[in-house]
Amino acid sequence: MYSVSWKHLKNHERQTTSWDHPKMTQLFQSMADLSHVRFSAYRTAMKSRRLQKALCLDLLELSIAQSVFDQHKLTHNGQLLEIPGIINCLCTVYRELQQVHPDLVNVPLCVDLCLNWLLKVYDSDRSGKVQVLSMKIGLFSLSKGPLKDKYKYLFAQVADAAGVCNQRQLALLLLNSIQIPHQLGEAAAFGGSNMEPSVRSCFQYMISLFISLDQFVDWMHLEPQSMVWLPVLHRVAAAETAKHQAKCNICKECPMVGFRYRSLKHFNYNVCQTCFFSGRISKDYHLSYPMVEYCTPTTSGEDVRDFTKVLKNKFRSKKYFTKHPRLGYLPVQTIPEEEHSET
């Protein structure tokens, strides 16, 4: 068992405040091989997935994370935590995980890596302090759990006592969340540090000056620009072990592993994850044609639904699809989160 003394905390503080843990540096350098992924949301999600697994946060249930925060009495989100306080909290997190996954969780290493990551993301001034709110949003974002539950936990961090959130509070949540892709070098594609457009898009149809949890979840299901990387992260995780009994029309891989992209313009036209991410298409297929993404094998109902859509689109011209582009920030249609497994 990993016990923590004050002397150890002080030694740990001296060792880790370099903000440049060798294993983290190695991890971020390894992400260079994702540069071939053309679409920023997928590239960011794949980087985040590597980070999530390296930190063992893919093993951390949302409820366990919350119980640890409660145990350490981290109820004031505006509080600044110094490094010893962060380490104490992380030690509890990883001891909990080690009890369930003794072969996967190395407590000292995980604490080192996660502390280093939190400082890189949320302590750009290198003050040795991280706000409680930032730490919670960072850990909740990369924890394990259904996406809808994750949205609830995130919303709860900025909601007031009445369970509602104003524009300033929403901006605070989004700004803390965007720091994760920012640290990965990807923030520009999600609006940078300007949260005003995203906040405005959330409140544009609201009569009240506040939004409820349900309204926030409904807005998040639209996958707004500043947060689209998070649901894509969940789909990346779900697709890791997926096998599709279909052949890629580009590279001929069969079965396809990972994401499957099915045309809604041509019958029996499929593209594998590797070809789609690199932008490879056949000469008779246009990028404006609609496709649907699957991170799990299709059901018979989905097959029938897509067949019907192909029938409707079959006789529509390329000009039609150019005039009626896909909405949103992703290049494909996606399947609702309820149909996916957890991260």
Side-chain angles (χ1 to χ4, degrees):
M1 188 61 67
Y2 183 55
S3 60
V4 183
S5 65
W6 178 252
K7 180 179 179 181
H8 180 275
L9 289 179
K10 297 304 290 183
N11 290 337
H12 204 302
E13 180 178 352
R14 285 194 295 269
Q15 293 166 5
T16 55
T17 49
S18 67
W19 280 258
D20 293 306
H21 193 288
K23 285 189 177 295
M24 289 298 283
T25 301
Q26 184 179 8
L27 173 65
F28 293 132
Q29 289 174 345
S30 75
M31 294 179 183
D33 65 8
L34 296 173
S35 60
H36 73 281
V37 179
R38 297 174 64 229
F39 308 108
S40 57
Y42 291 92
R43 191 171 58 247
T44 303
M46 295 177 80
K47 289 181 178 181
S48 300
R49 179 60 173 167
R50 287 193 187 179
L51 177 66
Q52 181 189 42
K53 293 169 78 171
L55 300 178
C56 291
L57 293 179
D58 59 320
L59 307 175
L60 179 62
E61 300 280 355
L62 290 163
S63 58
I64 293 178
Q66 182 62 63
S67 69
V68 171
F69 294 139
D70 293 340
Q71 179 181 335
H72 286 265
K73 297 182 171 56
L74 299 178
T75 56
H76 301 292
N77 285 345
Q79 174 188 351
L80 286 172
L81 270 184
E82 296 187 355
I83 287 176
I86 301 172
I87 293 172
N88 259 329
C89 186
L90 293 178
C91 285
T92 305
V93 166
Y94 286 110
R95 282 198 298 265
E96 293 275 352
L97 292 184
Q98 189 184 53
Q99 291 179 10
V100 183
H101 307 281
D103 297 331
L104 299 177
V105 178
N106 178 328
V107 175
L109 176 61
C110 287
V111 171
D112 273 353
L113 294 179
C114 196
L115 172 64
N116 187 265
W117 173 67
L118 287 169
L119 292 173
K120 280 180 173 290
V121 176
Y122 295 115
D123 185 24
S124 59
D125 294 334
R126 301 197 171 195
S127 66
K129 299 176 183 178
V130 171
Q131 195 175 50
V132 168
L133 175 63
S134 299
M135 181 176 176
K136 288 182 177 181
I137 289 177
L139 294 185
F140 281 141
S141 295
L142 296 188
S143 291
K144 175 184 179 181
L147 190 55
K148 187 174 181 180
D149 289 351
K150 188 170 289 188
Y151 291 158
K152 292 179 180 178
Y153 276 89
L154 291 172
F155 183 82
Q157 305 315 309
V158 294
D160 62 19
V164 296
C165 176
N166 61 28
Q167 293 190 25
R168 184 191 65 80
Q169 291 164 325
L170 177 61
L172 191 59
L173 169 59
L174 299 181
L175 187 60
N176 274 276
S177 298
I178 200 68
Q179 300 310 311
I180 297 174
H182 181 273
Q183 194 271 327
L184 296 172
E186 297 286 353
F190 308 105
S193 59
N194 182 14
M195 297 297 102
E196 184 180 348
S198 289
V199 173
R200 192 166 57 243
S201 76
C202 181
F203 278 83
Q204 64 181 333
Y205 300 116
M206 304 299 172
I207 299 175
S208 170
L209 296 177
F210 300 90
I211 58 168
S212 66
L213 170 62
D214 288 342
Q215 290 169 326
F216 173 74
V217 171
D218 288 344
W219 177 68
M220 288 294 288
H221 282 159
L222 298 175
E223 302 190 353
Q225 180 183 11
S226 60
M227 293 294 287
V228 66
W229 64 273
L230 187 55
V232 176
L233 167 62
H234 277 242
R235 293 197 288 274
V236 166
E240 284 179 340
T241 57
K243 284 190 177 182
H244 309 272
Q245 296 305 316
K247 179 188 290 187
C248 175
N249 284 61
I250 309 299
C251 70
K252 311 306 179 186
E253 177 188 24
C254 184
M256 293 193 295
V257 178
F259 284 109
R260 172 188 181 183
Y261 296 90
R262 172 192 268 172
S263 172
L264 297 180
K265 167 66 176 174
H266 297 320
F267 290 112
N268 199 31
Y269 186 96
N270 297 279
V271 179
C272 72
Q273 172 178 307
T274 301
C275 291
F276 181 80
F277 285 167
S278 61
R280 295 180 62 195
I281 58 172
S282 56
K283 60 182 179 180
D284 59 340
Y285 201 84
H286 196 271
L287 287 174
S288 64
Y289 290 159
M291 301 192 84
V292 62
E293 172 188 277
Y294 287 101
C295 59
T296 55
T298 57
T299 64
S300 57
E302 289 167 340
D303 290 337
V304 171
R305 179 194 62 196
D306 291 350
F307 180 83
T308 303
K309 289 183 178 180
V310 173
L311 281 177
K312 290 181 180 179
N313 291 327
K314 186 67 177 174
F315 301 103
R316 288 172 172 166
S317 66
K318 181 168 65 176
K319 188 176 182 179
Y320 170 87
F321 294 110
T322 302
K323 287 185 175 181
H324 298 81
R326 287 178 291 273
L327 300 177
Y329 300 97
L330 299 181
V332 292
Q333 297 179 27
T334 57
I335 306 303
E337 167 61 25
E338 289 76 17
E339 302 176 31
H340 302 151
S341 59
E342 302 177 0
T343 57

